[in-house]
């Protein structure tokens, strides 16, 4: 009882909202009371209702749908996010009100002048140009506040390139464009700010974020933790395995690595520490598991929905392709957690401290119905918009089954408000990334950079992949996953595809490394959030998280070299074989990284196991046979060594 009391007191002392605001810039918004606060709440609710209405009645013409979405996003961004972090969080500065009004004017200008703008067909009036310049500046400033400065610098650099490209050397040179041509292209076409990124944000992404908000209100987060406890709590290193399992489940409805880390980590990290895990390892386990949530089907990170539009395949195709890589990722984390626990002699929780699986499922299993329903609708040909809409409706109905999870009117309004606020970061990032995409389409920069990347790599696929990985990881230090994916998929993915890689594999490669940047030092935001809860050294936590997430650094290379891992052109028998041998390979890689199996593993065996593991993960009969042979020999020798040590 005293341990439980100490654990509760430790959790109480942690300000989780402060941690989220520090490491997840999108969550650092104002908390305003009074009439102003109520006005902002009403705006956020209307934002959500607009998307529910268009999902139900049909999406509006592209430019109107996207401009209304942008209008709400800009107005709320300026009302919720202060210009400087030092400014008060409980009141709004008059300048922010002015900027919010200008955001409304710029955003609604397209909706109110839609037909006139179409008839003018590129011949904009002076007022059109002024509004376009204003919209671009407002988007960039909102991005700085909501997302961060790095992506603003990137977008600004692309704008300068569009204007002054005639001064650039070599293959980067182009004739340059006038200011009016640039701003018109960026704001009045569906190639720039109102392009594919914000188009996806204004349809699929918003609704899935709203779906997550409704599920959260039903208490599904607590259900996931109870479920994970009932399954893994008693196992060796139980609390860490609970962290892995609950984060994988929560990640299916959360697109934020940091928010996921803090949400489930508020329970799992103090529990891991109380049972003997080092703070650096406890924080790293949660960060690695939470980051993997974005690659976990059926509902992945927001960037997965962008992939639907970029490569023109149904969402269910992307979700199916992600299944084996996601299983391998979480298996890798699970294995290393297990080996760490065995290496250090850490036990699981006592049976009387844990909920019973049967009881958890009987009491709250119905909360899984919305997720099951979404999978069903997607597999039966429903669009992601309709699937998300039905999921929201079913989450409300499922919550009504029991009094504890029933959503009253206040909770419904809170879910609508929370969903809108959660979607702001993605909407603003997509608008800013649209400037980058717009520059690429205007100047042909994507093809030039793609050719340049291939030339720099000497036409070598592995070097091209390494350059793409480094670019994604660097971008991940300052740009959210969504913006990261948009940039790399626009520039690097075509270069990879040029070398004969299928589009799905090329885009999944950039998607993976955009996500894993959250646990890659020196700037590993999810790991830093985990370290803040654990009270550990951030850099050491980041290094531990990178080790635990080793699968995410290996698997993308494997599925590019052998797309069968993404279930491209495979039979059911091949799928079973790929999954079985890949899991064996992932276990070998885990042992190689941790250096432990029954007893300590020497360096030579670790290198051999790592190679054998990679051969097993790579689908193919010969690689599997060689890999399994290497692993079998070393594991046999380890068993003999273990028996000698025991004697």
């Amino acid at each position: 009882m005293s341990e439980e009391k100490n654990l509760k007191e430790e959790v109480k002392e942690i300000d989780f909202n402060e941690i989220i605001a520090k490491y997840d810039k999108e969550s650092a918004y104002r908390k305003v009371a009074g009439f102003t606060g109520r006005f902002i709440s009403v705006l956020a609710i209307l934002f959500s209702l607009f998307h529910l209405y268009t999902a139900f009645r049909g999406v509006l013409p592209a430019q109107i749908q996207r401009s209304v979405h942008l209008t709400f996003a800009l107005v709320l961004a300026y009302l919720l996010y202060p210009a400087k972090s030092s400014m008060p969080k409980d009141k709004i500065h008059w300048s922010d009100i002015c900027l919010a009004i200008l955001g409304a004017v710029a955003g609604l200008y397209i909706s109110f002048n839609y037909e006139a703008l179409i008839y003018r067909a590129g011949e904009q009036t002076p007022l059109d140009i002024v509004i376009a310049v204003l919209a671009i500046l407002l988007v960039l400033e909102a991005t700085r506040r909501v997302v961060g400065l790095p992506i603003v610098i990137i977008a600004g650099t692309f704008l300068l390139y569009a204007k002054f490209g005639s001064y650039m050397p070599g293959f980067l040179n182009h004739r340059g464009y006038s200011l009016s041509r640039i701003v018109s292209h960026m704001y009045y076409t569906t190639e720039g700010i109102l392009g594919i990124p914000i188009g996806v944000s204004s349809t699929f992404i918003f609704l899935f974020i709203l779906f997550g908000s409704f599920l959260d209100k039903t208490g599904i987060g607590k259900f996931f933790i109870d479920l994970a406890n009932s399954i893994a709590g008693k196992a060796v290193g139980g609390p860490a395995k609970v962290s892995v399992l609950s984060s994988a489940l929560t990640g299916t409805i959360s697109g934020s690595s940091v928010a996921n880390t803090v949400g489930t980590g508020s329970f799992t990290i103090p529990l891991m520490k109380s049972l003997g895990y080092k703070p650096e390892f406890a924080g790293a386990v949660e960060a690695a598991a939470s980051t993997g949530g974005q690659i976990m089907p059926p509902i992945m990170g927001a960037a997965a929905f962008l992939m639907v539009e970029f490569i023109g395949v149904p969402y269910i195709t992307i979700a199916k392709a992600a299944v084996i890589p996601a299983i391998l990722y979480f298996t890798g984390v699970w294995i290393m957690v297990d080996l760490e626990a065995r290496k250090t002699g850490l036990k699981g929780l006592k049976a009387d401290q844990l909920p019973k699986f049967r009881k958890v499922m009987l009491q709250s299993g119905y909360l899984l119905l919305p997720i099951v329903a979404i999978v069903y609708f997607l597999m039966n040909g429903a669009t992601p918009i309709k699937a998300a809409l039905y999921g929201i409706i079913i989450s409300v109905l499922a919550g009504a089954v029991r009094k504890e999870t029933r959503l009253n009117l206040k909770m419904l309004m809170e879910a609508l408000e929370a969903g809108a606020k959660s979607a702001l970061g993605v909407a603003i990032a997509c608008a800013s990334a649209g400037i980058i995409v717009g520059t690429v389409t205007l100047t042909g920069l994507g093809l030039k950079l793609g050719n340049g990347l291939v030339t720099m790599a000497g036409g070598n696929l592995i070097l091209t992949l390494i350059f793409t990985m480094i670019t994604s990881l660097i971008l991940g230090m300052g740009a959210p996953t969504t913006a990261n994916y948009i940039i790399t998929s626009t520039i690097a993915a075509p270069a990879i595809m040029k070398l004969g890689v299928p589009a799905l594999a090329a885009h999944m490669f950039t998607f993976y490394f955009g996500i894993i940047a959250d646990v890659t030092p020196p700037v590993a935001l999810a790991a830093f959030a985990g370290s803040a809860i654990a009270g550990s050294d951030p850099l050491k936590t980041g290094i531990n998280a990178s080790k635990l997430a080793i699968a995410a650094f290996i698997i993308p290379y494997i599925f590019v070299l052998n797309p069968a891992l993404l279930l491209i052109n495979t039979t059911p028998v091949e799928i079973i074989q790929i999954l079985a041998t890949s899991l064996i390979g992932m276990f070998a890689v885990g042992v190689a990284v941790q250096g432990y199996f029954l007893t300590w593993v020497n360096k030579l065996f670790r290198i051999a196991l790592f190679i054998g593991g990679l051969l097993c993960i790579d689908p193919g009969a010969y690689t599997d046979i060689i890999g399994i042979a290497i692993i079998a020999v070393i594991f046999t020798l380890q068993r003999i060594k273990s028996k000698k040590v025991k004697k």
Side-chain angles (χ1 to χ4, degrees):
M1 284 297 289
S2 62
E3 282 185 15
E4 190 176 340
K5 187 179 178 183
N6 291 336
L7 189 62
K8 286 180 179 177
E9 286 176 359
E10 184 180 343
V11 171
K12 275 184 183 177
E13 288 174 6
I14 301 170
D15 189 338
F16 297 110
N17 289 328
E18 187 180 327
I19 292 170
I20 293 179
K22 183 177 179 181
Y23 296 108
D24 184 10
K25 195 170 173 62
E26 296 168 20
S27 301
Y29 48 77
R30 294 180 174 114
K31 308 289 190 300
V32 185
F35 172 78
T36 309
R38 288 193 293 275
F39 177 75
I40 292 172
S41 295
V42 169
L43 270 182
I45 291 166
L46 289 174
F47 194 13
S48 292
L49 290 175
F50 165 74
H51 286 89
L52 287 173
Y53 173 78
T54 55
F56 184 72
R57 295 297 301 270
V59 174
L60 302 174
Q63 283 169 293
I64 295 179
Q65 176 84 17
R66 297 170 190 184
S67 63
V68 173
H69 180 75
L70 179 64
T71 302
F72 274 113
L74 286 175
V75 172
L76 285 168
Y78 283 111
L79 293 179
L80 284 170
Y81 294 85
K84 293 187 291 186
S85 58
S86 58
M87 294 177 73
K89 296 290 195 298
D90 58 351
K91 60 176 73 172
I92 301 176
H93 195 269
W94 64 268
S95 61
D96 292 335
I97 296 173
C98 294
L99 288 170
I101 293 169
L102 289 174
V105 171
L108 293 175
Y109 184 79
I110 288 178
S111 299
F112 285 111
N113 296 277
Y114 178 62
E115 288 188 8
L117 287 166
I118 289 176
Y119 290 138
R120 285 201 281 274
E123 295 185 7
Q124 269 68 44
T125 66
L127 179 60
D128 293 342
I129 301 302
V130 170
I131 293 292
V133 171
L134 177 64
I136 291 168
L137 293 174
L138 287 167
V139 165
L140 291 174
E141 170 57 13
T143 304
R144 184 189 70 81
R145 295 184 183 203
V146 180
V147 183
L149 190 58
I151 190 174
V152 177
I153 294 171
I154 295 168
T157 302
F158 273 70
L159 283 173
L160 291 172
Y161 173 74
K163 175 65 179 169
F164 300 109
S166 58
Y167 299 101
M168 296 296 288
F171 70 88
L172 291 174
N173 182 273
H174 68 83
R175 64 187 178 86
Y177 295 90
S178 67
L179 178 65
S180 60
R181 175 70 191 282
I182 293 168
V183 299
S184 298
H185 182 80
M186 292 301 167
Y187 196 55
Y188 295 119
T189 71
T190 53
E191 300 287 338
I193 289 173
L194 300 181
I196 287 176
I198 207 165
V200 178
S201 173
S202 66
T203 50
F204 313 158
I205 294 175
F206 190 98
L207 287 169
F208 274 94
I209 290 173
L210 190 59
F211 170 68
S213 178
F214 272 87
L215 275 185
D216 184 56
K217 283 292 175 185
T218 64
I220 199 167
K222 182 181 182 303
F223 164 64
F224 282 154
I225 290 174
D226 287 344
L227 182 63
N229 263 309
S230 68
I231 293 171
K234 286 192 293 186
V236 174
K241 290 176 179 174
V242 168
S243 173
V244 175
L245 191 54
S246 60
S247 294
L249 293 168
T250 306
T252 63
I253 59 167
S254 168
S256 168
S257 303
V258 174
N260 197 2
T261 299
V262 175
T264 52
S266 61
F267 167 80
T268 59
I269 292 174
L271 188 58
M272 280 188 269
K273 285 174 62 184
S274 71
L275 292 172
Y277 277 97
K278 291 178 182 176
E280 287 81 9
F281 192 80
V285 169
E286 184 55 55
S290 292
T291 298
Q294 289 192 64
I295 60 172
M296 186 69 179
I299 305 162
M300 299 154 69
F305 295 99
L306 288 164
M307 212 183 298
V308 171
E309 294 296 315
F310 282 178
I311 60 178
V313 298
Y315 177 73
I316 193 66
T317 301
I318 292 167
K320 284 194 294 188
V323 168
I324 291 180
I327 290 171
L328 292 180
Y329 177 85
F330 282 103
T331 300
V333 179
W334 182 285
I335 287 165
M336 282 189 275
V337 160
D338 180 79
L339 293 171
E340 176 73 16
R342 294 181 189 279
K343 193 164 64 174
T344 52
L346 297 171
K347 305 296 182 185
L349 295 166
K350 295 175 184 175
D352 58 4
Q353 293 178 286
L354 297 168
K356 297 288 185 287
F357 176 80
R358 187 168 177 274
K359 186 178 179 182
V360 169
M361 289 303 295
L362 285 173
Q363 284 186 344
S364 305
Y366 62 88
L367 293 176
L368 290 172
L369 282 174
I371 296 174
V372 173
I374 275 191
V375 176
Y376 171 80
F377 290 124
L378 287 172
M379 292 190 73
N380 282 274
T383 64
I385 295 174
K386 290 299 182 187
L389 177 64
Y390 299 150
I392 290 168
I393 294 168
I394 292 168
S395 66
V396 175
L397 296 175
V401 170
R402 293 174 65 88
K403 187 178 179 182
E404 307 90 79
T405 57
R406 196 169 298 148
L407 303 181
N408 56 33
L409 182 60
K410 184 185 176 199
M411 292 169 75
L412 286 171
M413 294 300 107
E414 286 173 351
L416 291 169
E417 182 182 352
K421 288 179 177 178
S422 298
L424 279 181
V426 175
I428 295 296
C430 284
S432 201
I435 294 172
I436 297 164
V437 176
T439 303
V440 168
T441 58
L442 181 65
T443 64
L445 179 62
L447 184 61
K448 293 174 182 178
L449 285 177
N451 288 335
L453 189 63
V454 173
T455 303
M456 190 167 65
N460 184 285
L461 178 58
I462 296 295
L463 275 179
T464 304
L465 294 176
I466 290 170
F467 291 152
T468 302
M469 175 188 75
I470 293 169
T471 303
S472 295
L473 293 177
I474 291 171
L475 282 171
M477 293 179 189
T481 304
T482 312
N484 189 337
Y485 168 72
I486 292 168
I487 298 166
T488 52
S489 64
T490 303
I491 295 166
I496 299 171
M497 290 160 59
K498 192 175 180 182
L499 295 172
V501 176
L504 181 56
H507 281 260
M508 285 289 280
F509 185 90
T510 61
F511 175 60
Y512 254 71
F513 282 108
I515 289 168
I516 209 62
D518 282 344
V519 290
T520 307
V523 182
L525 296 180
F528 289 0
S531 76
I533 299 172
S536 61
D537 179 271
L539 188 57
K540 287 181 181 177
T541 305
I543 292 168
N544 272 300
S546 294
K547 283 171 60 180
L548 289 167
I550 187 70
F553 292 94
I554 297 169
I555 293 166
Y557 285 91
I558 302 293
F559 64 57
V560 164
L561 296 171
N562 195 335
L565 201 64
L566 297 178
L567 306 184
I568 296 174
N569 300 324
T570 52
T571 64
V573 173
E574 287 172 334
I575 292 169
I576 294 168
Q577 179 193 333
I578 290 167
L579 187 57
T581 57
S582 295
L583 289 173
I584 294 168
M586 204 61 248
F587 184 73
V589 168
V591 172
V593 173
Q594 287 287 37
Y596 186 88
F597 176 67
L598 301 176
T599 184
W600 296 98
V601 183
N602 66 45
K603 286 183 182 179
L604 183 62
F605 281 6
R606 289 173 71 175
I607 293 168
L609 279 172
F610 193 82
I611 294 168
L614 293 183
L615 289 170
C616 284
I617 294 170
D618 181 11
Y622 292 117
T623 54
D624 287 347
I625 291 167
I626 296 167
I628 289 171
I630 292 170
I631 294 166
V633 168
I634 294 174
F635 280 3
T636 301
L637 292 173
Q638 281 296 116
R639 284 189 178 279
I640 295 168
K641 182 182 174 182
S642 172
K643 287 177 182 178
K644 286 181 180 177
V645 170
K646 286 178 182 177
K647 286 180 181 178

